[in-house]
Amino acid sequence: MGMNIGGRGQKAEINMTPMIDVLLVLIIIFMVITPTESKALRALAPQQSDSTTPPAATPQEIVITVAKDGAIEINQQRVEITALGDRLAGLRGITDHIFIKGDRELDYQAVAHVIDIAHGAGWDRIGLMTR
C-alpha cells in the first residue's frame, strides 16, 4: 500500500508483516493459556421419574396444647393427662419431634410436667411454641 506525496518525494508505506507477526504470537499465547478441559463442579440433574405414584406425604407436625384450665390437646384432640404418655408413645413413628404450646397465664410447672411425660414416652426433641 503506498501513498504519493508530491511528485518526486518519498513514498510512505505501512509494513504489515510485523503487525501480522504480533497478532499470530498473541493468538498462539491465548491458545496456550486457555484451558482445554473444563474444571467445573460435577452436578447431577434429577431425572424424571417413571412411576405414576405420588411421593409420600411429609410427616405431620405434632402440637401438644396445654390450656390454663389444665386441658391437654394433641393436634386439637382432647387427651386426658393419664393417657398422654401412651398416646405420645403411639405417635412416635410419625415424626421425630413434637411441639408444646402452653397458655400465657399457665404456670411453667404444668408445661414441665407435659415435657416429662413426653420424655418418658421416648421423645427427645421437644420444642416450645411461644404463640
Side-chain angles (χ1 to χ4, degrees), residues 22-74:
V22 169
L23 289 175
L24 287 175
V25 168
L26 286 174
I27 288 174
I28 292 171
I29 289 172
F30 286 130
M31 286 174 57
V32 168
I33 66 170
T34 303
T36 55
E37 98 180 37
S38 63
K39 297 185 187 219
L41 296 175
R42 297 184 188 267
L44 297 174
Q47 302 298 321
Q48 184 174 359
S49 175
D50 294 335
S51 66
T52 57
T53 59
T58 58
Q60 182 180 2
E61 298 295 330
I62 298 174
V63 179
I64 302 170
T65 307
V66 183
K68 66 181 173 181
D69 62 349
I72 298 174
E73 296 177 349
I74 298 178

